Amino acid sequence: MTVVTRFAPSPTGLLHVGGVRTALFSWLYARRMKGKFILRVEDTDRERSTDEAVGVILEGMDWLGLKADEGPYYQTQRFDRYREVIAGMLAAGTAYHCYCTKQELDALREGQIARKEKPRYTGICRDRHQPRPGVSPVVRFKNPLEGSVVVDDLVHGAVTFQNTELDDLIIARSDGTPTYNFCVVVDDMDMGITHVIRGDDHLNNTPRQMNMLRALGAKPPVYAHVPMILGPDGAKLSKRHGAVSVLQYEEEGFLPDALLNYLVRLGWSHGDQEVFTREEMVAAFDIHDVNKAASAFNPEKLLWLNQQHMVRAAPSAVVPYLRAHLKRLGIDSSDQALLEGVIVAQRERAKTLKEMAQNSRFFFVDTVEIDPKAAAKHLTPEALALLREVRAALAGLAEWTPVSLHAALNDLSTRVGAGLGKIAQPVRVAVTGTAVSPPIDATLALLGRERSLARIDAVLARTPA
Ligand code: GLU
């Protein structure tokens, strides 16, 4: 059997990490089983669905590299198909027109509440075969009256629902539009979904969906309802906790693989391994191993993982992401060697690509502005005298490499009897404009001879000896 999974977001809110984790589990399981992963946009709720939310889903999935083998399908483009299935069910007697008016339903409900019964539709119209003039009917599914439905959930185990608890669901409104739970059923059936992986807020929909699938002669898929992600305070993750659009993680400078690595570990583990490449995730992930405890979102750990991924990834793989962040700062560099060099020099000192880009501006601009505070501290007359010595020592170098630069600065330090730090700091301020940078030899090597010497000269020129 080929495994077919799907990610079926409703574009009623912006895709955030909770949805991304569901997408990831579905994608990983399909990849692991060499199956198929489908993207389906559940946009039947036209009032609440927005183009912006659809855009975030498509862009977000693209940025994350969770490529779908099929889709995106849109439910709003499948209305003819839903109508066809409803007509078939009416003909087969597995669904019926319900002519109950709102007043009648309200009265029924009030009576049930007064008798302390659970409010439910009692199937009055199952036997009403004549249309009632002036009432546009809804269509209801004829749910089995007896027995139970067992959801053999991969995460929660067997969960049993009594059919007496499930009333006859409306599958088409009086204007003919199909309802959400019904569209899911038709889609899962038509798309040959074998494994439904979704948030456990949908577990209660599952018995009805299974009953409808069976009524349609389809075999229900395997279900895995994954636990919610909680905020650090234990409440359901919400905007308050920064449950923002997935694209904001891109803006903040996270690598997609780091975010996915972070999310895969919420509810799933593989020994005590914390850092996974995408390939390692695909090789190790199994939806059967996801546990049902909800997990809390931990921004600190996400930052840590991001740095781990920046450090471990091939610099060339990080280049496009750093470039994107530099562009936001108005820097457009295609100097591959410089970009890779900057990544290697900076990746231990930044937790995000945004931070890396901000700290690395000086590598890409023509001239730097000197931070007055750094100048006051590190460009004192005494320091400038040392800087002059450094300038002379560096200018004579045959080779401009980290090794030769290191040796030259070391020699100078011995010769003038000043610590390496004392010598490096004025150079650093001169070439970077600030008192913080990667090791000075690496910094100078990346900047190159011309730019380094020109910046030192500029500082020496503004304060004549
Ligand atoms: N559209 C639903 C949601 O966004 C998911 C439904 C499903 O996966 O079956 O919560």
Side-chain angles (χ1 to χ4, degrees), residues 411-463:
D411 286 352
L412 182 66
S413 150
T414 318
R415 188 151 54 76
V416 301
L420 203 53
K422 269 225 140 102
I423 292 188
Q425 213 50 0
V427 185
R428 175 170 285 122
V429 174
V431 299
T432 72
T434 72
V436 192
S437 85
I440 194 65
D441 42 8
T443 304
L444 290 169
L446 281 169
L447 274 172
R449 183 193 299 264
E450 256 176 58
R451 276 196 299 169
S452 301
L453 293 180
R455 289 182 192 182
I456 293 174
D457 287 343
V459 165
L460 292 173
R462 68 177 205 167
T463 44

Side-chain angles (χ1 to χ4, degrees), residues 313-327:
S316 58
V318 182
V319 164
Y321 300 103
L322 178 62
R323 279 191 71 180
H325 282 276
L326 286 168
K327 272 211 179 116

Side-chain angles (χ1 to χ4, degrees), residues 355-412:
E355 197 185 338
M356 185 188 279
Q358 282 164 346
N359 296 345
S360 304
R361 288 197 85 215
F362 69 86
F363 281 117
F364 300 93
V365 291
D366 287 336
T367 51
V368 288
E369 269 187 36
I370 310 281
D371 167 33
K373 265 203 194 143
K377 184 151 181 221
H378 300 290
L379 297 179
T380 58
E382 183 202 357
L384 287 169
L386 279 175
L387 187 59
R388 228 170 274 285
E389 300 270 357
V390 174
R391 202 292 171 202
L394 297 189
L397 278 181
E399 265 193 7
W400 193 269
T401 63
V403 175
S404 62
L405 287 158
H406 186 77
L409 293 173
N410 247 343
D411 286 352
L412 182 66

Side-chain angles (χ1 to χ4, degrees), residues 23 25 87 120 128 140 176 253 255 283 310 383 444:
F25 283 0
R120 59 197 298 280
R128 180 172 0 229
R140 288 187 187 267
L255 283 171
M310 292 199 301
L444 290 169

Side-chain angles (χ1 to χ4, degrees), residues 253 255 306-326 333-364 437-439 442-443 446-447:
L255 283 171
N306 198 48
Q307 185 168 42
Q308 291 297 316
H309 277 262
M310 292 199 301
V311 169
R312 294 175 192 214
S316 58
V318 182
V319 164
Y321 300 103
L322 178 62
R323 279 191 71 180
H325 282 276
L326 286 168
S333 171
S334 51
D335 184 338
Q336 185 73 15
L338 177 60
L339 287 158
E340 288 189 24
V342 166
I343 288 163
V344 173
Q346 295 281 40
R347 61 190 176 183
E348 308 271 359
R349 337 173 147 259
K351 290 220 158 66
T352 66
L353 292 150
K354 184 177 178 182
E355 197 185 338
M356 185 188 279
Q358 282 164 346
N359 296 345
S360 304
R361 288 197 85 215
F362 69 86
F363 281 117
F364 300 93
S437 85
T443 304
L446 281 169
L447 274 172

Side-chain angles (χ1 to χ4, degrees), residues 6 141 143-144 148-154 156-157 159-163 166 169 180-182 184-185 188 195-214 220-226:
R6 78 324 188 255
F141 169 61
N143 197 76
S148 56
V149 191
V150 181
V151 183
D152 233 333
D153 193 85
L154 294 185
H156 292 260
V159 187
T160 304
F161 296 83
Q162 298 303 324
N163 273 322
L166 310 170
L169 188 77
Y180 167 73
N181 269 298
F182 174 74
V184 172
V185 160
D188 285 344
H195 290 72
V196 166
I197 299 170
R198 62 185 172 199
D200 62 9
D201 49 337
H202 288 282
L203 182 55
N204 285 333
N205 289 333
T206 307
R208 292 178 199 281
Q209 293 184 3
M210 288 172 71
N211 280 339
M212 284 190 274
L213 283 164
R214 287 183 177 132
V222 175
Y223 293 92
H225 288 92
V226 301

